Amino acid sequence: MTQPGLFISFEGIDGAGKSTHMAALAQAFEAQGRVVTRTREPGGTALAEQLRELVLQAAMDPMTEALLVFAARRDHLQQLIEPALARGEVVLCDRFTDATFAYQGMGRGFDLKTLHYLEQLVQTVKGLDGDLIRQPELTIWFALDPRVAAQRLAGARLPDKFESQPVDFFSRVSDGYLQRLLAHPQRFARIAAEQSRETVWQAVLNVVRQRGWLA
Ligand code: TMP
């Protein structure tokens, strides 16, 4: 019998260092014989990657931006995430809907009620016992002071539309993540990302081990 799929998302403001730990966690799962699909949002499929380019580079109003990230998410869920979960794989996703609430909702000030509606609509998928609203089983939030993140990003590669936002924007985004944590305390694990890389990694491992998903 195949094991049930497992869906974990990684969140945090730009510069929080989540991608490094996502790669290490993929290796840890593979070392225990699990098949891992690593993916990202916006993106993960050919269509969603095209939408990503638009969202990250083109100027647009907040509603257009929100609709595009949800359109990308719908394709990503249908083409990649749901089939991988159905095969019993571990899906590690660099950002998911919490990013939309944090960036479009709090960062841009786009209506949260509309985002809730879109979340229900877009993430309704067919489960074994009927429709369900797909959410990660675990969301690891790499929490970092926006001023520290700005220092880390300074001088890095050419910033995209979001990375070039002022510190105030990222303070609002961080508040957005906090609100999502408070609304979904079981699903979220908050890790202080200003600690050393090794300490952060141990914290990631602990969170996953506590849930019984890694030995
Ligand atoms: P990345 O650089 O971590 O891959 O993230 C891409 C950027 O897109 C990042 O600045 C956050 C932003 N973003 C949103 O604004 N809304 C979303 O729903 C997602 C998934 C990402």
Side-chain angles (χ1 to χ4, degrees), residues 61-117:
D61 85 297
M63 189 193 294
T64 309
E65 197 174 272
L67 291 171
L68 287 182
V69 291
F70 270 115
R73 181 160 303 131
R74 180 71 184 172
D75 192 60
H76 191 205
L77 272 169
Q78 293 213 302
Q79 305 297 329
L80 192 137
I81 295 176
E82 291 303 312
L85 292 175
R87 291 190 299 269
E89 296 178 13
V90 177
V91 176
L92 302 183
C93 193
D94 193 339
R95 303 187 183 284
F96 197 62
T97 306
D98 300 305
T100 314
F101 280 83
Y103 280 78
Q104 279 65 50
M106 294 299 284
R108 300 276 194 231
F110 184 66
D111 180 44
L112 294 175
K113 263 204 320 222
T114 307
L115 293 184
H116 279 292
Y117 171 70

Side-chain angles (χ1 to χ4, degrees), residues 171-185:
S171 298
R172 293 197 299 278
V173 171
S174 292
D175 287 346
Y177 280 125
L178 181 60
Q179 285 185 12
R180 289 290 278 183
L181 175 147
L182 295 173
H184 305 277

Side-chain angles (χ1 to χ4, degrees), residues 16-190:
K18 60 194 161 41
S19 308
T20 320
H21 299 292
M22 186 171 139
L25 193 60
Q27 280 187 354
F29 274 113
E30 282 163 357
Q32 300 200 1
R34 297 291 306 250
V35 177
V36 177
T37 291
R38 274 168 61 189
T39 187
R40 67 174 181 181
E41 289 217 341
T45 65
L47 174 62
E49 288 292 331
Q50 287 184 1
L51 295 175
R52 177 189 175 91
E53 277 311 300
L54 291 171
V55 170
L56 264 54
Q57 306 303 340
M60 60 188 70
D61 85 297
M63 189 193 294
T64 309
E65 197 174 272
L67 291 171
L68 287 182
V69 291
F70 270 115
R73 181 160 303 131
R74 180 71 184 172
D75 192 60
H76 191 205
L77 272 169
Q78 293 213 302
Q79 305 297 329
L80 192 137
I81 295 176
E82 291 303 312
L85 292 175
R87 291 190 299 269
E89 296 178 13
V90 177
V91 176
L92 302 183
C93 193
D94 193 339
R95 303 187 183 284
F96 197 62
T97 306
D98 300 305
T100 314
F101 280 83
Y103 280 78
Q104 279 65 50
M106 294 299 284
R108 300 276 194 231
F110 184 66
D111 180 44
L112 294 175
K113 263 204 320 222
T114 307
L115 293 184
H116 279 292
Y117 171 70
L118 290 169
E119 177 183 36
Q120 311 267 309
L121 184 73
V122 165
Q123 291 165 228
T124 297
V125 296
K126 297 239 170 298
L128 289 176
D129 305 317
D131 284 355
L132 58 94
I133 297 173
R134 178 64 68 198
Q135 293 290 5
E137 270 104 317
L138 168 68
T139 296
I140 305 178
W141 171 27
F142 296 84
L144 186 63
D145 183 324
R147 287 162 302 187
V148 178
Q151 281 163 7
R152 284 191 187 176
L153 283 179
R157 64 196 160 87
L158 202 62
D160 63 34
K161 216 172 80 183
F162 294 101
E163 288 163 345
S164 52
Q165 291 291 322
V167 170
D168 278 4
F169 177 87
F170 288 107
S171 298
R172 293 197 299 278
V173 171
S174 292
D175 287 346
Y177 280 125
L178 181 60
Q179 285 185 12
R180 289 290 278 183
L181 175 147
L182 295 173
H184 305 277
Q186 309 292 341
R187 171 165 68 82
F188 261 84
R190 179 188 184 281

